[in-house]
Amino acid sequence: MTDAYIYDAIRTPRGKGRKDGALHEVTSARLSAGVLNALKARNNFDGHAVEDVIWGNATQVGEQGGCLARTAVLASELDQRIPGLSINRFCASGMEAVNLAANQVRGGAGSAYIAGGAEMMGRVAMGSDGAAIAVDPSIAMETYFVPQGISADIIATEYGFSRDDADALAVESQRRAKAAWDDKRFEKSIVAVTDQNGLTILDTDEYMRPQTDMQSLGALNPSFKEMGEVMPGFDKIAMMKYPHLERINHIHHAGNSSGIVDGAAGVLIGNADFGKQWGLKPRARIRATAKIGTDPTIMLTGPVPVTEKIMADNGMNVSDIDLFEVNEAFASVVLRFMQAFDVDHSKVNVNGGAIAMGHPLGATGAIIIGTLLDELERQDKELGLATLCVASGMGAATIIERV
């Protein structure tokens, strides 16, 4: 098969996903178009040089509906002959876009793609699409559906993580994110968002709270305790699936869970001929991709079995990997990954994660691939693995290799 290379990976800063957030005035299409334009300008290829734009977003309704990918192309400086494909694998949508594009290149279906995703969570609220998995009783009852926060607390209970464990990980995420920004580690990948007059709207991640400490987190009430224990009583549903649990230990809150933010990210992927044609040097090879389905109740354990799968499929061991990006959807997700593979935290989310900087659902998968690549280059390492948990019980993973 043909090798698929990453030639560039960029992202916008992440804005607070609410009405007073810096990016609230920007539509999903315009933010996405800005990323497409930046990739074109930075790499100096003609507007018709890529085969397709594959774009992920999790809430495909309103301005994010109707094939956001094609809308973004038409709003951008790319040639209108380039089509667009919108995909939805919830939190892994941006990663799945990259993986799909890479596998298209590897299979010979075009020489280059732009892949990534966007989510304007302050403009298009999470859950506003009315997904059947959550609102159709005939499906929700069969799958023992509970909200993701309850699932995260189930993981903490099942695998023995305490509130202090989760809060300590959150504090470290904030510390690492601040250190990364102070050290300008994101500098080559961040594309500032500007208004129609070219004035900067946002050029740094807005959500970070570097002053966070164990004391401030300790003052927060668990976010999912009431919906679990009182109304509508999701804990009872969970314990029907996991009868060995006497109770659910509710440890998650806003400070040790991912932030609701706006953002977009894009990756330029192509074969060797594409790079030669446009004078581009590949930064990494996409070595392997994987996806998997998991238990829809506990829901968020996907990074563990999908990592096991990608390792087995490619004859590799976790010890072969130099650096990991594990999306910080909730603290217990990352704690479970490190526990399952006995991976030291020094190799995981080196520059902080979604707890500190936020999780723009459809963009995050592409963001962490770009962050992983930047860090591999900074540390002069070779192999990295990025992975995410996914709503309704799935997991996705990508292995990249520097070239």
Side-chain angles (χ1 to χ4, degrees), residues 14 91 94-95 117 265 327 354 358-369 388:
R14 285 168 273 197
C91 301
M95 175 176 286
N327 184 40
H359 175 21
L361 306 177
T364 300
I367 288 174
I368 66 174
I369 288 173
L388 305 93

Side-chain angles (χ1 to χ4, degrees), residues 15 45 68 72 103 207 215 224 320 400-401:
F45 58 81
L68 176 61
N103 290 328
Y207 184 78
Q215 289 70 34
F224 310 102
D320 297 327
I400 62 173
E401 178 182 18

